[in-house]
Amino acid sequence: MSRRSLDDSVQFVKGVGPKRALLLNRLGLNTVEDCLFMFPYRYEDRRRVQKVSQLSPDEHTTFFGEIINCRSFPISSRRTIFEMLVGDDSGAIPLKWFKFNKSYFEEKFQPGLTVMVSGKPASSRYSPSGLEMIHPDVYVNPDLESEELRMGSIIPVYRLTEGLHQKWLWRIMESVVELYSGLLEEFLPLEILKRHSLLARPQAIRDVHFPPADTDFQQLTEFRTSGHHRLIFEELFLIQCMITLKRKNAFKPTQGIPLTTRGKTIREFSKLLPFKLTGAQKRVLGDIMNDLERNEPMNRLLHGDVGSGKTLVALTSLLTAIDNGFQGALMAPTEILSEQHFLNLLPYCQKLGIPIDMLTSALPAVQKKKVLHRIHKGLSKLVVGTHALFQKDVEFRNLGLVVIDEQHRFGVLQRDALRKKGLHPHVLVMTATPIPRSLALTLYGDMDVSVINQLPPGRQNIHTQLFKEDQRDRVYDLLEVQLHAGRQAYIVCPMVEESKLIDLKNVQDTHEVLQKQRFPERTVALIHGKLKKEERQGIMSRFKAGDIDILVATTVIEVGIDVPNASVMVIEHSERFGLSQLHQLRGRVGRGKYRSFCFLIAYPPLTEEGKARLKAMTDSNDGFRIAEQDLAIRGPGDFMGTRQSGMPDLKIADIVRDISIIEVARKEAQYLLDKDATLALEENRALKITLHRLFKDRIELMNIL
Ligand code: ADP
Ligand code: MG
């Protein structure tokens, strides 16, 4: 037989064959190495068998009992459930299935049969024991001696695909782990292995797939065993090496545009401001000005809470580029936000004599042609727009700085788009709300980061309260009190899909009911994305002027709107919004000297996630805390909202759970690459090869190592 290799196809592992290999391929498993790095996502403890009376909620368990009774019955016109009562001499517990094959279940389960049950009990108000189990695994007439049950061991549980069974997968994984884990070579430098007492790779792989019988089960469930630690560390360390390399080298070959800062335009601009900069704004501008003066392009991320004054920082930076004779561009994710930015910046630009233009894809062809010409000739100094700014047909004369206002879309794509156009301006990326530290260290790890951690003086804490849908009248009463005191209010309705007419009808209905029935004496206006730009701007200026009391809106008002007299934000169907969106909406009030309110209206039943989001809102006004909560609730994939977020796929690490390991890995990566920037030393050879294998494309793109 030929020698074994980690690249061997799974098809040739004993017991697999072509058919099952296809199933494994569907899970992304093509080689045996892929199998070694497909980890259990949880474990079951079958070392001890419990009595029914010993079960406790949310703790995975295995027990034996007898089926006392079982039946399927409808709970609504569309749903049927299967319920089974299982007991031993200590007590009984109901088991429930919402998804099941009726004839199979009725045939397989009969009163009087002995079963082994494995699963997680949950608290239940309706069960006499206070517990129930949803969708447990049940084995009829279990043979304790049989291999299949693995009594006495801790068993791994893998994610499966249709047609694959755990029991079969165990056998495959056992033989792969036994035959191949020894082939895994070490690539971490000895010094790091020692410093963090890391297990050898083969040992770690074996322990994580098939934990030894004396493993602490709690540690195992939390992915904190030595085996887990080793593998999590190595995964995060490789990513941090990559990020550090990128940050150290990506911009090196590129000539930047060193700018002179604090020039004439900036001095004039600061005289126009009606307020003093906050300490945080000054500090952040200091960071940015230092970057701009340097001979390499700035690559900086700016984040801070809603209303912390990021726009001002952006504008000051853009004016610096313009003061040096260059063009500046401000890119926003939507038409409406571009418009808002444009209107906010316009008065300053007019006073300073700076030609400003807006470029979006909605622009009529004739006008667009004009703007493109002005950009190309350098007549346009400041350009505000959507991603249309970086399309093929746009040619800048001398672009010095781009500010990307990303709002919720934590993407890093635009920078790459710029680079592809052969442009190397200074780049400042801003996010709408704070980003959690774990993301700053991974997703944005190759950028310099500045934080505005202070709000302008006089901002109000916003009293936030949750109401059920049937308490809406109470909300309107509270609203009336504020209107009576001279304040204004927003009522926001969700857009599920922007194109859907139903959504439009919802806001229209809400508007009509409010105007005609509930607040006939008040002026209630409606604003949404389907209105023409002029109409929208007309309504906004009437609201700003105080001629409108209540503005019913879709999320078009989410960003960029600033009316200090508005003190009430009502959010309809608040359970449908994402957390950072809710926080962003709430940030529309509390901008003046008035006590402000955010009333969240929710439609039960709420999902667990929905409850957690709304609780986070009523618990805190602090965007930094909310961002951490949001990440914890949704997980990184959904949090960033896009597959192309630039975040590498993680096989075992979890950036929320493993934040402290990220920090250690980062320090180690930086330390190592400071000493050996191109990994030329013999002791770092294996690491270099591993990085090449894993990040081939990126490393070639950057021409490093
Ligand atoms: P965000 O960081 O959410 O983009 P903005 O830039 O829109 O916040 O600023 C919110 C509001 O705060 C704006 O009306 C802006 O004019 C105002 N503002 C910004 N900086 C200050 C400051 N130093 N003092 C007082 N108000 C400020
Ligand atoms: Mg903003």
Side-chain angles (χ1 to χ4, degrees):
M1 206 189 127
S2 61
R3 278 185 49 203
R4 291 207 173 88
S5 139
L6 291 170
D7 294 329
D8 286 353
S9 158
V10 284
Q11 184 179 333
F12 304 112
V13 174
K14 193 165 153 262
V16 179
K19 250 202 199 147
R20 278 166 163 172
L22 281 178
L23 293 175
L24 292 173
N25 294 350
R26 208 183 294 159
L27 287 173
L29 308 176
N30 299 306
T31 65
V32 292
E33 184 171 20
D34 295 336
C35 293
L36 292 177
F37 287 87
M38 185 206 42
F39 299 108
Y41 70 100
R42 65 174 180 84
Y43 299 88
E44 278 179 24
D45 193 350
R46 293 196 182 162
R47 290 174 302 186
R48 269 173 306 121
V49 175
Q50 287 188 297
K51 288 276 184 197
V52 170
S53 61
Q54 294 173 313
L55 306 181
S56 41
D58 300 323
E59 256 177 44
H60 221 280
T61 183
T62 302
F63 64 89
F64 290 89
E66 183 180 301
I67 300 181
I68 297 169
N69 59 49
C70 56
R71 62 184 181 131
S72 64
F73 58 97
I75 48 168
S76 74
S77 58
R78 278 178 305 159
R79 283 183 109 181
T80 304
I81 74 169
F82 191 87
E83 198 175 74
M84 177 189 317
L85 189 66
V86 171
D88 59 14
D89 54 15
S90 74
I93 181 169
L95 319 180
K96 287 179 185 165
W97 285 263
F98 297 97
K99 281 189 198 140
F100 60 96
N101 179 333
K102 193 161 178 283
S103 52
Y104 177 74
F105 265 51
E106 285 175 350
E107 156 115 28
K108 181 170 157 192
F109 300 126
Q110 306 282 342
L113 290 176
T114 302
V115 288
M116 185 186 99
V117 180
S118 191
K120 201 190 267 186
S123 303
S124 159
R125 252 184 292 169
Y126 306 106
S127 151
S129 65
L131 291 175
E132 65 181 15
M133 285 172 102
I134 312 288
H135 291 187
D137 291 327
V138 178
Y139 305 79
V140 176
N141 290 331
D143 171 5
L144 286 183
E145 302 304 310
S146 127
E147 270 287 287
E148 208 169 77
L149 291 186
R150 297 180 181 245
M151 295 313 298
S153 359
I154 295 174
I155 59 167
V157 185
Y158 298 96
R159 295 208 186 284
L160 297 173
T161 182
E162 185 115 353
L164 268 189
H165 297 284
Q166 294 290 353
K167 283 170 233 162
W168 179 78
L169 199 57
W170 289 335
R171 236 174 287 142
I172 301 305
M173 291 304 287
E174 261 170 351
S175 81
V176 171
V177 168
E178 188 187 318
L179 295 174
Y180 290 92
S181 57
L183 298 183
L184 290 166
E185 282 172 31
E186 189 54 75
F187 59 79
L188 290 178
L190 192 61
E191 207 186 309
I192 292 181
L193 288 174
K194 277 199 189 141
R195 200 161 26 242
H196 303 285
S197 318
L198 298 176
L199 231 50
R201 297 182 87 202
Q203 182 72 48
I205 288 279
R206 283 195 286 268
D207 290 357
V208 163
H209 285 285
F210 298 102
D214 60 354
T215 307
D216 178 326
F217 193 69
Q218 191 62 28
Q219 275 186 6
L220 197 60
T221 326
E222 291 168 3
F223 282 43
R224 305 221 172 281
T225 61
S226 314
H228 282 105
H229 185 252
R230 152 78 216 206
L231 296 169
I232 291 168
F233 182 93
E234 90 175 35
E235 183 165 50
L236 293 171
F237 177 76
L238 288 168
I239 290 170
Q240 291 300 333
C241 281
M242 183 61 214
I243 289 170
T244 309
L245 280 168
K246 214 170 152 190
R247 184 178 165 132
K248 274 177 171 295
N249 297 296
F251 292 94
K252 252 208 195 126
T254 319
Q255 174 73 22
I257 309 167
L259 301 175
T260 305
T261 59
R262 303 171 179 90
K264 186 166 144 283
T265 311
I266 303 297
R267 286 196 300 275
E268 280 174 34
F269 173 59
S270 55
K271 282 186 210 139
L272 294 176
L273 289 176
F275 43 68
K276 278 209 207 96
L277 293 185
T278 62
Q281 281 172 319
K282 281 191 202 152
R283 176 174 44 75
V284 164
L285 274 170
D287 293 345
I288 293 173
M289 295 305 142
N290 280 342
D291 287 358
L292 294 179
E293 284 167 3
R294 285 169 49 186
N295 199 6
E296 43 190 90
M298 168 167 76
N299 182 27
R300 185 169 287 277
L301 172 76
L302 171 60
H303 68 122
D305 209 343
V306 187
S308 59
K310 294 183 287 286
T311 316
L312 194 63
V313 171
L315 183 56
T316 311
S317 315
L318 288 163
L319 291 175
T320 302
I322 294 164
D323 203 32
N324 281 262
F326 291 93
Q327 292 169 296
L330 172 58
M331 188 177 111
T334 64
E335 302 267 325
I336 291 168
L337 186 61
S338 311
E339 233 172 72
Q340 286 294 330
H341 274 319
F342 180 76
L343 293 175
N344 281 338
L345 303 190
L346 190 60
Y348 291 115
C349 288
Q350 281 170 340
K351 284 183 199 141
L352 295 168
I354 290 171
I356 173 171
D357 280 287
M358 186 163 90
L359 182 69
T360 69
S361 41
L363 223 54
V366 184
Q367 221 176 322
K368 185 171 177 191
K369 214 174 142 197
K370 258 193 217 157
V371 175
L372 287 178
H373 176 77
R374 291 172 50 77
I375 295 174
H376 182 52
K377 290 291 170 207
L379 300 172
S380 191
K381 286 298 177 190
L382 180 52
V383 194
V384 181
T386 56
H387 60 277
L389 276 180
F390 302 123
Q391 239 101 73
K392 272 204 204 75
D393 53 355
V394 190
E395 259 184 78
F396 285 88
R397 198 175 96 84
N398 59 357
L399 186 58
L401 168 67
V402 179
V403 177
I404 300 171
D405 198 358
E406 288 197 314
Q407 301 305 331
H408 306 300
R409 297 163 206 209
F410 293 159
V412 276
L413 300 174
Q414 289 90 353
R415 278 183 294 152
D416 294 339
L418 278 173
R419 229 170 284 154
K420 283 206 190 94
K421 285 186 75 137
L423 295 171
H424 302 280
H426 296 289
V427 175
L428 179 68
V429 177
M430 303 196 294
T431 66
T433 47
I435 55 169
R437 182 162 169 72
S438 46
L439 287 185
L441 290 178
T442 49
L443 186 55
Y444 289 109
D446 59 332
M447 305 180 91
D448 297 306
V449 178
S450 295
V451 190
I452 306 191
N453 54 359
Q454 178 185 21
L455 294 177
R459 282 290 157 77
Q460 303 294 314
N461 203 34
I462 303 157
H463 174 83
T464 305
Q465 204 177 341
L466 179 63
F467 293 89
K468 299 249 168 65
E469 179 259 333
D470 57 8
Q471 298 171 300
R472 189 179 281 103
D473 270 338
R474 169 105 185 89
V475 172
Y476 291 158
D477 290 345
L478 292 167
L479 177 60
E480 179 60 46
V481 175
Q482 294 304 309
L483 294 179
H484 188 75
R487 302 288 80 73
Q488 292 162 281
Y490 302 97
I491 298 186
V492 176
C493 305
M495 271 289 200
V496 179
E497 256 172 65
E498 296 216 10
S499 64
K500 277 208 177 144
L501 289 172
I502 299 178
D503 290 319
L504 191 54
K505 187 160 180 320
N506 278 341
V507 265
Q508 281 166 341
D509 289 351
T510 307
H511 170 248
E512 203 171 304
V513 169
L514 283 165
Q515 180 69 88
K516 295 215 173 116
Q517 296 169 21
R518 185 64 214 230
F519 297 101
E521 320 276 280
R522 304 279 178 192
T523 313
V524 186
L526 172 64
I527 192 168
H528 55 76
K530 289 276 175 305
L531 292 179
K532 288 221 181 65
K533 191 170 126 195
E534 294 75 29
E535 275 181 272
R536 221 155 52 205
Q537 289 177 357
I539 294 173
M540 277 322 299
S541 35
R542 280 173 59 212
F543 190 66
K544 263 191 174 157
D547 298 339
I548 293 170
D549 300 300
I550 301 176
L551 189 60
V552 178
T554 55
T555 46
V556 299
I557 64 140
E558 181 182 329
V559 281
I561 285 182
D562 195 25
V563 181
N565 190 52
S567 71
V568 184
M569 166 64 66
V570 179
I571 306 179
E572 282 283 350
H573 272 293
S574 52
E575 77 282 358
R576 290 195 195 161
F577 290 90
L579 192 43
S580 83
Q581 214 181 0
L582 288 170
H583 181 61
Q584 184 67 225
L585 282 168
R586 176 169 60 181
R588 297 306 106 204
V589 298
R591 297 185 155 236
K593 49 183 178 289
Y594 309 109
R595 186 168 150 73
S596 295
F597 304 86
C598 176
F599 301 132
L600 304 168
I601 299 182
Y603 285 62
L606 299 180
T607 60
E608 286 307 312
E609 262 196 53
K611 276 186 212 157
R613 279 198 300 268
L614 296 172
K615 181 163 168 6
M617 282 292 288
T618 51
D619 279 357
S620 176
N621 261 285
D622 177 354
F624 288 84
R625 266 187 63 186
I626 290 198
E628 299 286 349
Q629 289 276 325
D630 197 17
L631 180 60
I633 294 170
R634 285 198 284 169
D638 286 340
F639 185 83
M640 293 174 289
T642 160
R643 289 268 155 255
Q644 307 139 305
S645 61
M647 188 74 194
D649 274 337
L650 296 173
K651 294 198 159 47
I652 192 164
D654 174 316
I655 64 168
V656 178
R657 183 192 63 208
D658 300 325
I659 177 81
S660 59
I661 306 180
I662 294 179
E663 304 203 12
V664 176
R666 179 180 178 80
K667 284 212 188 87
E668 287 291 4
Q670 286 172 345
Y671 179 67
L672 184 90
L673 287 160
D674 277 345
K675 284 194 309 190
D676 184 12
T678 57
L679 299 180
L681 295 178
E682 180 55 30
E683 70 223 48
N684 295 330
R685 227 176 80 88
L687 175 60
K688 184 167 171 168
I689 293 169
T690 306
L691 283 168
H692 264 282
R693 261 186 65 195
L694 277 176
F695 302 111
K696 190 163 174 285
D697 299 345
R698 296 202 217 181
I699 285 178
E700 274 167 14
L701 185 74
M702 289 187 294
N703 201 10
I704 48 174
L705 286 192

